[in-house]
């Protein structure tokens, strides 16, 4: 009877489940940033603080007021955004390099499509192959919203069909 009581008590405790879910969501984002090779960059902590805030409040990036939430000035917010952009630039370069090396890897294509929008990875791949002077563009809102959606399993994550992704990545590799 005690075991049944403990089991039913833990099932009725949404706080315990939320903590586990919250931890898994944050771990998913951490794993993604490690995969992109940016977990040791200066902007990593800023990205994680923003993602934690988004997950805690269950809000998208455009709904959050960072100045109020973190108690920072608009200048400090700009500094944080620039630090994140620099970090994400390293991530987009790393992902483009992986796409060149492994053009048929569907997981890479999923990251390219969802986190940076594939056209930005494509431009960065061309830049690395000396075919394009421009670099891939970074959108903080897109990256953070996509990371949040991927971590929380929210709807709205855009995914292209595998055939289309493979043919797009294979044109450069």
């Amino acid at each position: 009877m005690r075991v049944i009581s403990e089991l039913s008590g833990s099932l009725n405790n949404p706080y315990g489940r939320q903590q586990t879910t919250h931890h898994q969501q944050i771990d998913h984002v951490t794993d993604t940033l490690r995969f992109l090779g940016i977990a040791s960059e200066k902007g990593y902590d800023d990205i994680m603080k923003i993602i934690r805030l988004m997950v805690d409040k269950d809000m998208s990036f455009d709904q959050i007021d960072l100045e109020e939430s973190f108690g920072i000035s608009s200048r400090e917010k700009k500094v944080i955004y620039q630090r994140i952009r620099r970090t994400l630039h390293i991530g987009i370069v790393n992902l483009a390099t992986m796409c060149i090396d492994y053009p048929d890897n569907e997981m890479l294509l999923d990251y390219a499509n969802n986190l940076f929008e594939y056209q930005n990875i494509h431009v960065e791949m061309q830049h690395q192959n000396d075919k394009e002077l421009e670099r891939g563009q970074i959108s903080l809102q897109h990256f953070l919203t996509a990371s949040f959606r991927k971590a929380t399993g929210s709807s709205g994550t855009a995914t292209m069909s595998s055939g289309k992704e493979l043919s797009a990545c294979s044109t450069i590799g």
Side-chain angles (χ1 to χ4, degrees), residues 39-67:
S40 63
E41 299 299 322
K42 288 183 180 181
Y44 170 81
D45 290 331
D46 297 316
I47 293 169
M48 292 307 298
K49 282 172 35 179
I50 293 171
I51 292 291
R52 279 189 187 98
L53 181 64
M54 292 168 64
V55 169
D56 289 345
K57 294 189 176 199
D58 194 27
M59 299 171 83
S60 65
F61 179 68
D62 58 343
Q63 296 173 318
I64 292 177
D65 181 359
L66 292 182
E67 293 172 23

Side-chain angles (χ1 to χ4, degrees), residues 142-159:
H142 183 82
F143 181 87
L144 292 169
T145 301
S147 296
F148 170 72
R149 284 182 179 158
K150 211 159 177 52
T152 61
S154 299
S155 62
T157 303
T159 305

Side-chain angles (χ1 to χ4, degrees), residues 58-94:
D58 194 27
M59 299 171 83
S60 65
F61 179 68
D62 58 343
Q63 296 173 318
I64 292 177
D65 181 359
L66 292 182
E67 293 172 23
E68 180 183 316
S69 297
F70 295 152
I72 59 175
S73 68
S74 61
R75 185 180 182 291
E76 290 171 313
K77 182 173 98 171
K78 288 178 185 177
V79 170
I80 288 171
Y81 284 176
Q82 186 58 35
R83 198 165 37 233
I84 292 172
R85 276 189 198 90
R86 286 188 193 115
T87 297
L88 293 181
H89 176 72
I90 293 168
I92 201 170
V93 168
N94 291 344

Side-chain angles (χ1 to χ4, degrees), residues 10-150:
S10 67
L11 293 175
N12 291 328
N13 182 359
Y15 182 75
R17 280 192 307 215
Q18 287 176 349
Q19 289 300 325
T20 301
T21 302
H22 180 270
H23 186 65
Q24 289 172 346
Q25 292 167 343
I26 298 301
D27 283 351
H28 180 75
V29 174
T30 302
D31 291 344
T32 299
L33 298 178
R34 282 187 187 133
F35 178 78
L36 294 174
I38 57 178
S40 63
E41 299 299 322
K42 288 183 180 181
Y44 170 81
D45 290 331
D46 297 316
I47 293 169
M48 292 307 298
K49 282 172 35 179
I50 293 171
I51 292 291
R52 279 189 187 98
L53 181 64
M54 292 168 64
V55 169
D56 289 345
K57 294 189 176 199
D58 194 27
M59 299 171 83
S60 65
F61 179 68
D62 58 343
Q63 296 173 318
I64 292 177
D65 181 359
L66 292 182
E67 293 172 23
E68 180 183 316
S69 297
F70 295 152
I72 59 175
S73 68
S74 61
R75 185 180 182 291
E76 290 171 313
K77 182 173 98 171
K78 288 178 185 177
V79 170
I80 288 171
Y81 284 176
Q82 186 58 35
R83 198 165 37 233
I84 292 172
R85 276 189 198 90
R86 286 188 193 115
T87 297
L88 293 181
H89 176 72
I90 293 168
I92 201 170
V93 168
N94 291 344
L95 187 56
T97 301
M98 287 185 275
C99 248
I100 291 169
D101 292 342
Y102 307 101
D104 295 331
N105 187 313
E106 290 186 38
M107 185 176 74
L108 293 175
L109 298 171
D110 183 53
Y111 281 111
N113 283 322
N114 292 314
L115 298 177
F116 295 106
E117 296 179 298
Y118 182 77
Q119 68 268 16
N120 292 313
I121 297 295
H122 182 77
V123 169
E124 186 61 36
M125 289 165 62
Q126 288 183 324
H127 176 79
Q128 289 183 19
N129 286 327
D130 296 324
K131 295 179 183 175
E132 180 72 48
L133 295 176
E134 291 186 33
R135 307 295 301 250
Q137 298 297 308
I138 306 293
S139 167
L140 292 181
Q141 181 169 355
H142 183 82
F143 181 87
L144 292 169
T145 301
S147 296
F148 170 72
R149 284 182 179 158
K150 211 159 177 52

